[in-house]
Amino acid sequence: MSEKNEKIKLSVKDKSYDLSMHEGTIGPEVIDISNLYSESGNFTYDPGFTSTASCKSRITFIDGEEGILLYRGYPIEQIAEKGNFLETCYLLLNGELPNSEEFTEFSEIIKNYTMVHEQLNRFFTGFRPDAHPMAIMCGVVGALSAFYHDSTDINDPEQRRIACHRLIAKMPTLAAMAFKHSLGQPAIYPKNNLDYASNFLHMCFGLPTEESKVDKTLAKAMDKILILHADHEQNASTSTVRLAGSSGANPFACIASGIACLWGPAHGGANEACIKTLEEIGSVDRIPEYILKAKDKNDPFRLMGFGHRVYKNYDPRAKVMQKACHEVLDHLGVKDNPLLSIALELEKIALEDDYFIEKKLYPNVDFYSGIVMKSLGFPMEMFTVLFAVGRTVGWVSQWNEMIEDTSQRIGRPRQLYVGSKQRDYVKLNNR
Ligand code: CMC
């Protein structure tokens, strides 16, 4: 980030203030208002942070108008096509793609951390079998903070590195355990001769009674899902992790807070909500009825998997996901998938509709990811968990970057207070 010579003049009532401008490597220039309150006594008002850059970051760049997503400068399409998830993890964490030696070493480190403490199994038995797996994930990931005391000194870069590696490695194990719990099946231990995505599918679908065989094409699709979800700059869950971490909180607890935020239907929960909508629509001829519902101001219904705060053009992840969807269904020999037929027609109709064009509502990553996840054999409740497995590397990379950034302070937004003015307390019997 460099400060520009030019200053922005802000006039408030009869006074004016010179505000600095910063420019990043790409993206809009940023007006620095960090001293505005101390100099003018005014706050800025920005609900939903639509115009606020809360930090500087080198990790991920999005150009929402052009539909561009870069991880450390590399376009998402290239990484998804040519790379793999563990390589993406290394890139996001360290800033550069690994060479083959670095990749082997990194893979070994992650593999060595895939098991979780046996005592953690006890947490799972405390949950009802019908508990939502995201509820379980909030609990068990937070519980990691009680197990790994040797990687919680956030001021020690080595301990931070170990915490990041542990989270990347243990997340699939915990996610698979949550899934097995819902099925009433025993947890399957990780198999370290498998790659990351294959190992995850092995833990989810393997049985202790049988030799598990992981389909290569399905593992590749799983890997792609993880790459596409790996990071997305300052989205709601990542900002939650950064905010939690800004107080110096335990790293495992910070990631649990990110999982809680991700669960909401406006964020990671949209993939589950999207499949529910497609199932509810049920057939292509009912699409117009649902388009009308989505456009009706008096109807709370929204077309899940459509729209994005940042993308005002096509979400590039949705393009990759749509292709992966066709590949998986072709591989499985599915000629006619009713949900995919509804999704494709829904997309076509919505993209020609004035309401969606005017509001720049395009399919997002969640529009097709649910169909792929369902085809892999996951029930709807697991969809957001898979998102969380992929996003973990983004959360830990951003958390680590925040701790290293000497300009970061505890996150503490202000407010526009609209409540009662000061008044005197009235005793209970006088009210
Ligand atoms: N269906 C119908 N109308 C919509 C939709 C939709 N999916 N999304 C936005 N709109 C309308 C909305 O009603 C509003 O209309 P008006 O200006 O008349 O009030 C306008 O478009 C702007 O919407 P907003 O809610 O103010 O926009 P936002 O930037 O705050 O919200 C969003 C972005 C993603 C939460 C929203 O588009 C949405 O709820 N989409 C459905 C949920 C979804 O698919 N979420 C996944 C996002 S991608 C994965 C991730 O990163 O988590």
Side-chain angles (χ1 to χ4, degrees), residues 360-378:
K360 300 187 174 174
L361 300 171
Y362 293 87
N364 59 50
V365 67
D366 293 322
F367 193 62
Y368 288 104
S369 66
I371 302 177
V372 183
M373 292 170 183
K374 198 171 152 76
S375 308
L376 294 180
F378 288 102

Side-chain angles (χ1 to χ4, degrees), residues 375-390:
S375 308
L376 294 180
F378 288 102
M380 270 187 283
E381 294 72 30
M382 279 298 289
F383 293 178
T384 316
V385 176
L386 305 193
F387 191 152
V389 172

